Amino acid sequence: VSVENNNKKEALAIYPNHATSHITVTNMSGSINIYTVSGKLVFSQNATNGNSICNIQKLSAGIYFVKDSAGNTAKFIKQ
């Protein structure tokens, strides 16, 4: 007899994705860091677990990666 582990955490999600001024990060744990594709840290925000809104107006257009304190990652595009 086997028992499945149904306590899996939902994946980190970002919307809207293509964003211009703000993104909402859901299913996140702890702080949020945003990195360029080359790995440069360009944004950091302390947040509570769950959902967080990030102001990305100062970021240049391009592809970015969001990483939370638990190591979960997701990609978004800044227009």
Side-chain angles (χ1 to χ4, degrees), residues 1 4-5 8-9 11-12 14 31-32 35 42-43 46 50 52 56 58 64-66 70-71 73 75-77 79:
V1 175
E4 289 184 31
N5 182 359
K8 294 179 183 175
K9 184 176 185 245
L12 191 68
I14 300 171
S31 64
I32 297 171
Y35 299 90
V42 293
F43 180 91
N46 289 327
S52 186
I56 59 165
K58 294 183 180 181
Y64 293 89
F65 293 92
V66 175
T73 61
K75 177 178 77 171
F76 75 94
I77 298 172
Q79 292 183 321

Side-chain angles (χ1 to χ4, degrees), residues 2-21:
S2 66
V3 178
E4 289 184 31
N5 182 359
N6 291 327
N7 294 329
K8 294 179 183 175
K9 184 176 185 245
E10 291 185 44
L12 191 68
I14 300 171
Y15 64 89
N17 192 2
H18 299 70
T20 55
S21 61

Side-chain angles (χ1 to χ4, degrees), residues 24 29 36 53 56 65 71:
T24 299
S29 297
T36 64
I53 297 172
I56 59 165
F65 293 92

Side-chain angles (χ1 to χ4, degrees), residues 20-22 54-60 78:
T20 55
S21 61
H22 293 82
C54 303
N55 182 341
I56 59 165
Q57 288 179 323
K58 294 183 180 181
L59 298 181
S60 300
K78 165 69 163 66

